[in-house]
Amino acid sequence: MGRIAIIAGTGFRALNIPDAAQPIEASTPFGQPSGPILRWMNLGHEVLFLARHGLDGSVPPHKVNYRANLWAIHQAQAQYVLAVNTVGGIASDAEPGMLVIPDQLVDYTWGRPQTFFDGDKDTLTHIEFTLPYCESFRQRLIKLAGDLKLQFLASGTHAVTQGPRLETAAEINRLKRDGCDLVGMTGMPEAALARELELSYACCAVVVNRAAGTGDVGIYAEIDQYLDQGMDQVSRLVSGFLEAF
Ligand code: HPA
């Protein structure tokens, strides 16, 4: 199996990145990634990590340079990319504190550079995106989450909104009618760019709140309450994955 990279956003510090991880400052034809790629060895395998919003968390979802991030990870020779995204739960069974390994997505973002094929017709490729996540990688995560007895859902449709504001209740109703089960702000164009680079990309979504209008407590109170619990589960999944890798 090739080298693995992890891209994570809010709460990434729970992932126990070793202090000895080496920072690689990458530059790409698409500009600067969100921060350095951190690299360390785990049981003889190289692991790469990138903080999607920067190590200081200052890059908002609509300003993330997704192209530079994915390009830098590809340049660092990752083959597998595990994306960790915090989300709100729309489906009634996507409860705060749980993980979801989505199998589908709907993209509601706009104005984000979303392709590497930007005007050079000799290399233009219309990627197939029927299944937006790598199915074999997803199945490995599902098996592992089951073995670790994590609280998780093995499928779900991931709505990706523009942010940085949260949604209105009417917007969430619309997403529900569209068949979406969870909502976050950072799943796209990351997944499509990963596919353009032929990376094996899967998402582990961490439900940290009920989506707007579907719960009865304030969204930020819930995020405070459930982020640690959710990230603790991600941390166990990532450690298990690296052990099995
Ligand atoms: N909506 C969008 N993005 C999110 C949410 C949400 O409710 N929770 C965490 N990220």
Side-chain angles (χ1 to χ4, degrees):
M1 222 178 163
R3 201 169 280 173
I4 183 167
I6 301 162
I7 307 178
T10 312
F12 77 86
R13 293 203 182 273
L15 297 181
N16 301 323
I17 296 157
D19 291 340
Q22 283 187 328
I24 315 171
E25 298 289 347
S27 68
T28 82
F30 304 94
Q32 291 299 116
S34 300
I37 292 181
L38 303 180
R39 181 173 60 180
W40 70 94
M41 296 302 289
N42 180 80
L43 303 172
H45 290 279
E46 205 170 293
V47 183
L48 306 168
F49 174 84
L50 180 62
R52 190 182 284 113
H53 301 293
L55 289 173
D56 63 358
S58 64
V59 188
H62 63 294
K63 287 279 175 75
V64 170
N65 189 338
Y66 295 94
R67 291 197 299 186
N69 285 357
L70 271 293
W71 193 269
I73 279 172
H74 180 60
Q75 245 173 1
Q77 294 175 351
Q79 186 180 351
Y80 291 84
V81 180
L82 175 63
V84 180
N85 304 82
T86 54
V87 296
I90 300 175
S92 56
D93 56 353
E95 289 168 17
M98 289 181 69
L99 305 184
V100 185
I101 318 289
D103 59 332
Q104 275 299 332
L105 64 78
V106 181
D107 186 8
Y108 299 92
T109 66
W110 47 269
R112 303 181 182 188
Q114 53 171 320
T115 179
F116 294 111
F117 302 120
D118 230 2
D120 174 0
K121 79 174 167 37
D122 293 336
T123 60
L124 175 63
T125 305
H126 300 280
I127 52 158
E128 190 166 334
F129 207 43
T130 314
L131 299 177
Y133 303 107
C134 170
E135 190 55 24
S136 61
F137 189 10
R138 232 177 54 76
Q139 291 303 331
R140 289 178 69 136
L141 294 173
I142 291 167
K143 164 91 175 55
L144 188 62
D147 291 348
L148 293 169
K149 302 200 178 345
L150 303 181
Q151 280 185 290
F152 75 103
L153 300 176
S155 62
T157 298
H158 184 180
V160 189
T161 54
Q162 176 71 356
R165 66 166 174 84
L166 293 166
E167 299 72 33
T168 65
E171 285 169 337
I172 293 297
N173 276 332
R174 171 191 168 204
L175 302 189
K176 207 189 289 184
R177 288 195 300 275
D178 284 355
C180 299
D181 301 300
L182 45 143
V183 57
M185 299 174 194
T186 52
M188 280 293 281
E190 202 175 89
L193 292 167
R195 179 64 53 83
E196 286 190 351
L197 294 173
E198 300 182 357
L199 297 164
S200 299
Y201 178 99
C203 165
C204 171
V206 192
V207 184
V208 291
N209 59 281
R210 297 282 328 146
T214 68
D216 44 26
V217 287
I219 291 183
Y220 280 103
E222 261 189 331
I223 295 178
D224 283 347
Q225 189 179 343
Y226 290 106
L227 182 63
D228 288 351
Q229 180 185 330
M231 287 309 294
D232 179 59
Q233 294 215 86
V234 180
S235 169
R236 288 167 58 203
L237 186 70
V238 169
S239 305
F241 186 78
L242 294 179
E243 258 169 52
F245 197 53

